[in-house]
Amino acid sequence: MDALILSRLQFAVATYFHFLFVPLTLGLSILIAIMETIFVRTGDEEYRRMAKFWGKIFLINFAMGVVTGITLEFQFGTNWSRYSSYVGDIFGSLLAIEATVAFFLESTFIAVWALSWNRLSPKAHAVTIWLVAAASSLSAVWILIANAWMQHPVGYTIRNGRAELTDFFAVVTQSFAIHQIIHTLSAAYILSAFFVMGVSAYHLLKKQHTSFFGRSFRLALVMGLVFSIVEVVQGHMHGAEVARVQPTKLAAMESLWDTTAHAPQYLFLVPDEKNERNFIELGAIPGALSMLAYHDSSATVRGLKDFPRDERPPVTLSFISFRIMVGLGFLFLALMTVGWFLRNRLEEHPWYLKTMLYAIPLPYIAAQAGWTLAEVGRQPWVVYGVMKTSDAVSPIAVSQALVSLLAFVGVYSLLGAAALYLIIMHVRRGPESGQPA
Amino acid sequence: MLESIWFFLWGLLWAIYFMLDGFDLGLGTLMPFVARDDMEKRTVYRAMGPFWDGNEVWLITAGGVTFAAFPLAYAVMFSSLYSALMLLLFALIFRGVAMEFRGQIHHEKWKKVWDYSLTAGSFLAALLLGVAFANIFQGIPIDEKGVYQGSLITLLNPYGLLGGVLFVVMFALHGCIWLALKTEGPLHDRATTLASRLWTALLAAAVIFLAATWFATRLYDNYLENPLFFVVPILLIPIIAVSALVMTRVYISRTRWWEAWFASSLFIVGTTLFGVAGLYPHLLPSSINPAYSVTIHNAASSPLTLKIMLGVALTVIPVVIAYQAWVYHFFKDKIQPSDLAHDEGY
């Protein structure tokens, strides 16, 4: 165990945990904003109660997202100081802009929203949640621009012994960033839809608050269906972009060892990382990988052996997380499509409601798998082709990194359990009665 | 020039963070001493509730700006202060979660856990911020490669701890005044009594800290050596910080709480800027050899980044200040029982 591996583990723990809470806040804030807007438009009290009920879950999530988010920012300095001083000129400014233009807005108005139900006019109150929703997604946009720069650095030059910004516009508008933004935001919206649909299914199965949860379900369904379609279509384009700019990640996620023209896609494959081959390759679809990666079935796809051993990412982990993400992505589209056809007679199909209830964890798994692919597949680079992860770590003592890692695991487990307990309790209790507060 | 502007903005952002989150942290520290029953505790939570989240973003921004404008300073500062910052992080995590989780379950033990979290987290955060900044003023043992040659214990030297005490007392008074202006009845009366005592304690802490600063740091040398900074402190120290401290006392006696809070705010900003101006152009002086110090010259980002960031800061920060000021105005009234009648009102 050295400070490098401990810092990597700590970053993984902190990021996975942070991203258990963030995606739900991204999508749920929009759904709540829509509910409140419908209330303002129609005066139907039930939509106001919906906004309140889902809002409480949002607040618990938001608090967890905030406190765990600070950890991530701090860690760049504490554990990755060489990274920070080498790329801070570009990466640091993106984080600072995120805090200034988005996070302030979100954090300031969420408190106003939570505490002013009786003090603001319904219209003004709805505006505050729209500000929160917009700021949340805007915040994600800036963070993803920063991450995209680590995946595909552009607009910089190496000068004065570090990476310096030369073209800010190129950094914020590069296609990799746009792909990541669409991909990650869609994932968050799908996750939120599943959450709302699953919780609603729980109550619909018990035949309680049927109007309340039927409406919630259908509202979320629209979001879930739209973004499941977006995700599948754009996910393919995202993959092609990875093939173009991160050939080692593509080769790892497909476990392709030899550079191949007419590269096939296998229906079943088991990587054998140690011997640089695959244990099993079954059901080849000729040219399919070349087609998917380059839209040309005869295109040459570069294999891992084309790259030095010390520039290849872990293959098995990239390969598996990619398949989990894609498989679940298609499943989500299928479940949403079924939901669309059953939307007006949900109670007649308890099997579907039950499926949706138990499907709540799936988009969480898909999102974590997606980030695993994005980050593990980028290795051994922290900034692709520019800086290796092993050169990025701080000159800190092993004991420091070990103690803090253990503390994170302990504290996060406790807080995670408390948050989960609160959310489940709130879900079970259901919405408050119809009397105005 | 750009570096100097950013140095000043960097100091200002930290000062604003201390001024705003200072009253939350102080109030969290004070809670067991002022609030007797559940209703009073809820009132204390409610006094911070609408603000703490937005206040904490100033920390994230101050950190982010350190990262963006002076990457090397961010790297050396955060990795050198590793253990202290991890503790600060956990303190802030517990403080923040306590705010949102306490009111969710009406069970005595549950509430007690979060009350302890709030107080311990707030106290520890205030202490650590003070320890960290005092150590920065004093200089920390960093070698020519920017590698820290010390431990957590190195930071807990007498001057560092004195800084910690100063911050705890300064924030406690700030929070106490806030409580007085947000409440009525017994809670208000207790806050009033406590405010006078805390002011005396703060005066003592400030005088000792200033005296210790003469011996432990080179801040005064900087004032004396640099003609520009010889003039500025004459404005900065006596007129802003000292008179703010005096005016805090005056307004406390006259029970003019908003004025007292503004004076206390000004004292916090003045104190921070006093230290920061004394550091200039250092961001992180090395106590091993002054030549190893991290300064605005060896740590600054490229001119392009500094310009872009300046553009963002000058256009967006005033907007942030405007809407946060609106929120403070919106929640300016004293807390009424009706505010606490609903669940979401803590």
Side-chain angles (χ1 to χ4, degrees), chain A residues 63 66-67 70 415, chain B residues 17 20-29 45 48 51-57 59 87-102 114-126 129 346:
Chain A
V66 172
V67 296
I70 303 175
L415 292 182
Chain B
Y17 169 65
L20 293 178
D21 213 18
F23 77 82
D24 297 331
L25 296 174
L27 202 41
T29 309
Y45 278 92
M48 305 179 265
F51 314 107
W52 79 270
D53 222 337
N55 292 346
E56 198 165 280
V57 183
L59 172 66
L87 282 172
L88 173 64
L89 206 51
F90 287 117
L92 290 173
I93 287 173
F94 277 103
R95 187 278 295 247
V97 172
M99 289 274 194
E100 300 306 319
F101 280 15
R102 183 191 191 268
W114 296 116
D115 288 343
Y116 281 129
S117 299
L118 178 82
T119 299
S122 302
F123 170 76
L124 195 61
L129 286 166
Y346 292 93

Side-chain angles (χ1 to χ4, degrees), chain A residues 70 73 89 115 119 162 404, chain B residues 56 60 74 82 302 305 330:
Chain A
I70 303 175
E73 191 202 25
D89 198 69
L115 295 168
R119 302 188 49 183
R162 63 180 182 182
S404 63
Chain B
E56 198 165 280
I60 294 169
Y74 185 74
Y82 190 94
S302 65
T305 294
F330 184 70

Side-chain angles (χ1 to χ4, degrees), chain A residues 36 40 112-113 116 120-129 131, chain B residues 326:
Chain A
E36 240 189 290
V40 171
V112 176
W113 181 81
S116 67
L120 282 175
S121 73
K123 214 178 229 174
H125 195 262
V127 169
T128 61
I129 190 70
L131 285 174
Chain B
W326 175 81

